[in-house]
Amino acid sequence: MHGVIQKKIFAELPPRSEYSMTSTGETLLPLIEQMEKWGDNFRPQMKEILNIK
């Protein structure tokens, strides 16, 4: 998955897969955290724009 996410497939029944971030993917965490902060700050305006209570 472009080196960001790793998929591990287990050979068992029922079939099972697990996903995890690679070390490259973890470098995106600061960006994701900043996007979360932006979303938290923008939420009141978005609720007003969409007329959500």
Side-chain angles (χ1 to χ4, degrees):
M1 309 222 177
H2 305 296
V4 176
I5 302 292
Q6 177 178 320
K7 180 180 181 180
K8 183 175 182 181
I9 301 171
F10 295 86
E12 60 188 31
L13 290 174
R16 176 172 67 101
S17 299
E18 289 183 359
Y19 295 86
S20 60
M21 292 185 90
T22 64
S23 57
T24 300
E26 288 176 353
T27 65
L28 292 169
L29 290 175
L31 175 63
I32 293 167
E33 290 167 357
Q34 287 299 312
M35 291 173 67
E36 179 183 25
K37 287 180 185 178
W38 178 87
D40 289 343
N41 291 332
F42 185 66
R43 185 175 292 117
Q45 295 173 19
M46 182 57 75
K47 284 183 175 181
E48 188 175 316
I49 290 168
L50 298 175
N51 197 20
I52 297 173
K53 295 180 175 131

